[in-house]
Amino acid sequence: MTSLSDLPIRDDLRGKTPYGAPQKVVPVALNVNENTHPVPEDVAADIVARVAKAIGGVNRYPDREFTELRESLANYLGHGLAPENLWAANGSNEVIQQILQAFGGPGRSLLGFAPTYSMYPLLAAGAGTGYLAGRRDDDFELSPETAAAEIKRLDPDIVILCAPNNPTGTPLSIETIAAAYDAARGMVVVDEAYAEFMPEDAPSALTLLPGRPRLLVSRTMSKAFAFAGARVGYLAADPAAVDALRLVRLPYHLSALTQAAAVAALAHSDEMLAMVGEIRDQRDRLVVELAELGYKPHRSGSNFVLFGGVDDPNAVFEALLAQGVLIRDVGIPGHLRVTAGTEAETTAFLTALASLGRPDKARTSASVAGSGAADSVTVSSQS
């Protein structure tokens, strides 16, 4: 049988593996930062009705400028944004991919601040763009001084800032974003995938857009909107930057059905976001109770918590999996990450973790409990 290594793929892709978290059927899945609350029934009914109406026209290509969706996004975001400031694609990963296709490419570079979202270097590689890893301050923080110094030291063509940062959950100050923009000579992308989980009085990078044509603010409907399966990401930027993305987008890249579903969800934004407060409560509960269990949770402005003090992350991961709880090993030594779920899901995780004992005893307990983990779940596809 032919293997990947037998095919004439690009040299810079050899040895790489596709992005993808384990996809396992378990009672409590808290590994990929989804909103675990279902879409409200009345909202789902409206979405279905609008998609059904759109079906009647699928013999024709969709509105390639997704005019109604851009108007809905502008109304949702506010900040004086107009439809021409908005762009959308099939998830924020595609938005970032289009940015790299337009402003990156061979001989150009993207700077991220490690550890950060693991898709950034993969997206950069796919666009033939070099990836640079800048350093952070202690406890995964990023100060204005450090951000500016790293940008000047590495001189990238594009800077990407994850705010709050994934996988650490670390909030990013508006001062750091402004300092990064002032220090950069090229485009600055702020990935605000988890922005809705920040405190309500925390300023968004959207407030910095006026007068900054090299700034792009990326968002998603996957997280706070509980719309991960619909695949809708978007950005706000100067109209000229939006025009640049038109040069690289595929024709009619956003289907009529996706547009209809997203417009319907945005029409119910208040109801769709009603569960955000509960998710914040469960996140804060995780921070408090993980510390009480003897772990070291990090500051989080997102819908997940990274916690340290884990002697053997793989053993603890497997032991929790054996109890039907799936979290994420993000590859940071001594750490694991857990999504804030419903109150019942959060309780199930904390109970399972407590059953392993204190962190200094959890390795032995986890090793024993994890021995049967492989038989306790059904594995579906893995991307």
Side-chain angles (χ1 to χ4, degrees):
M1 180 180 292
T2 301
S3 68
L4 182 59
S5 60
D6 297 321
L7 299 176
I9 65 170
R10 288 167 22 194
D11 289 339
D12 61 330
L13 295 181
R14 291 190 181 278
K16 296 185 180 295
T17 56
Y19 173 88
Q23 290 186 310
K24 302 176 185 292
V25 178
V26 294
V28 181
L30 300 173
N31 63 322
V32 289
N33 303 337
E34 297 159 320
N35 184 335
T36 63
H37 296 69
V39 173
E41 289 187 10
D42 62 316
V43 180
D46 190 25
I47 292 171
V48 169
R50 297 199 195 202
V51 170
K53 183 178 179 180
I55 284 285
V58 292
N59 58 310
R60 303 290 187 179
Y61 285 115
D63 174 9
R64 68 170 177 261
E65 298 301 325
F66 40 96
T67 307
E68 186 178 7
L69 175 56
R70 292 167 79 186
E71 291 171 351
S72 296
L73 288 168
N75 289 334
Y76 167 66
L77 289 179
H79 293 282
L81 295 169
E84 55 264 30
N85 294 113
L86 276 299
W87 188 250
N90 297 283
S92 58
N93 284 332
E94 185 177 58
V95 171
I96 295 169
Q97 180 184 59
Q98 291 172 345
I99 293 169
L100 287 162
Q101 289 172 326
F103 299 105
R108 295 190 177 190
S109 59
L110 170 70
L111 169 64
F113 291 85
T116 192
Y117 184 34
S118 59
M119 272 301 297
Y120 295 157
L122 294 176
L123 289 167
T129 306
Y131 183 76
L132 306 170
R135 69 177 184 86
R136 288 179 173 269
D137 300 304
D138 293 342
D139 294 324
F140 309 118
E141 300 286 340
L142 184 60
S143 68
E145 296 77 16
T146 296
E150 289 296 273
I151 290 168
K152 291 176 181 177
R153 179 176 72 87
L154 295 168
D155 191 31
D157 297 278
I158 308 171
V159 176
I160 191 159
L161 303 165
C162 197
N165 187 50
N166 181 15
T168 65
T170 316
L172 191 67
S173 72
I174 204 76
E175 292 79 14
T176 295
I177 297 169
Y181 185 90
D182 291 343
R185 59 178 174 79
M187 306 304 288
V188 176
V189 184
V190 183
D191 182 353
E192 288 193 337
Y194 300 94
E196 285 90 349
F197 300 107
M198 288 288 289
E200 292 182 3
D201 60 350
S204 162
L206 295 170
T207 61
L208 296 176
L209 282 174
R212 293 180 174 88
R214 294 181 289 107
L215 181 65
L216 305 97
V217 183
S218 172
R219 292 275 188 105
T220 182
M221 294 182 70
S222 293
K223 308 302 182 182
F225 268 85
F227 228 48
R231 310 307 303 128
V232 183
Y234 58 98
L235 68 72
D238 187 275
V242 171
D243 283 343
L245 303 188
R246 285 194 176 89
L247 300 176
V248 298
R249 60 102 179 265
L250 292 174
Y252 309 104
H253 72 288
L254 210 56
S255 81
L257 306 186
T258 298
Q259 293 181 42
V263 168
L266 288 162
H268 297 271
S269 60
D270 288 345
E271 190 171 357
M272 291 288 278
L273 298 178
M275 72 282 283
V276 166
E278 180 183 340
I279 294 169
R280 287 194 194 115
D281 289 343
Q282 295 307 312
R283 174 200 64 203
D284 295 343
R285 176 189 172 197
L286 284 168
V287 170
V288 171
E289 296 194 28
L290 282 166
E292 290 174 351
L293 288 173
Y295 294 92
K296 300 174 183 177
H298 291 274
R299 190 167 75 101
S300 177
S302 59
N303 70 333
F304 59 85
V305 175
L306 180 77
F307 59 100
V310 186
D311 186 51
D312 189 335
N314 183 66
V316 173
F317 172 89
E318 293 291 348
L320 294 173
L321 188 56
Q323 297 187 55
V325 178
L326 178 62
I327 63 170
R328 190 75 177 269
D329 183 346
V330 294
I332 299 176
H335 288 74
L336 289 167
R337 190 191 71 191
V338 59
T339 306
T342 63
E343 182 178 3
E345 289 169 330
T346 304
T347 297
F349 160 70
L350 290 167
T351 300
L353 186 63
S355 73
L356 305 181
R358 303 288 293 182
D360 56 349
K361 299 178 181 178
R363 179 173 185 173
T364 300
S365 301
S367 297
V368 174
S371 61
D375 298 325
S376 63
V377 298
T378 301
V379 180
S380 58
S381 61
Q382 181 171 334
S383 60

